[in-house]
Amino acid sequence: VIRALKALRRFETLQLLINASQKASEGLPVCLFALFVLTLLFASLIYIVEPRTNIESLPHAMWLTIVTMTTVGYGDVTPE
């Protein structure tokens, strides 16, 4: 196992991939925070605008917002 790990040091593309993932992980918290803020903003707007028969609660509106923003589109919640 140790010999295999020593051999992996010689592959430049692996080092490049590791460095790229480390640099990308620095910006990940900022992106997640922005996603969280946008989710709260749009879920609040949906909760305020939609009638209560359509969106019953704020967590329900947050679920709709998350599913819509991530383009999963389960189809279990749809505004009427």
Side-chain angles (χ1 to χ4, degrees):
V1 173
I2 294 174
R3 229 172 240 232
L5 291 175
K6 284 183 181 181
L8 285 177
R9 272 194 263 166
R10 299 185 192 269
F11 294 110
E12 293 179 20
T13 55
L14 181 64
Q15 294 296 325
L16 183 65
L17 186 64
I18 290 171
N19 288 337
S21 63
Q22 286 174 348
K23 289 183 181 182
S25 68
E26 292 173 3
L28 189 61
V30 175
C31 292
L32 290 176
F33 178 74
L35 183 67
F36 177 72
V37 168
L38 287 172
T39 301
L40 282 177
L41 175 74
F42 285 112
S44 301
L45 286 174
I46 288 173
Y47 183 70
I48 291 170
V49 172
E50 289 289 327
R52 294 295 160 258
T53 57
N54 197 5
I55 304 291
E56 297 92 19
S57 62
L58 188 59
H60 193 248
M62 287 181 74
W63 173 253
L64 177 65
T65 305
I66 290 170
V67 168
T68 303
M69 286 176 69
T70 58
T71 65
V72 175
Y74 288 124
D76 58 346
V77 179
T78 55
E80 295 176 9

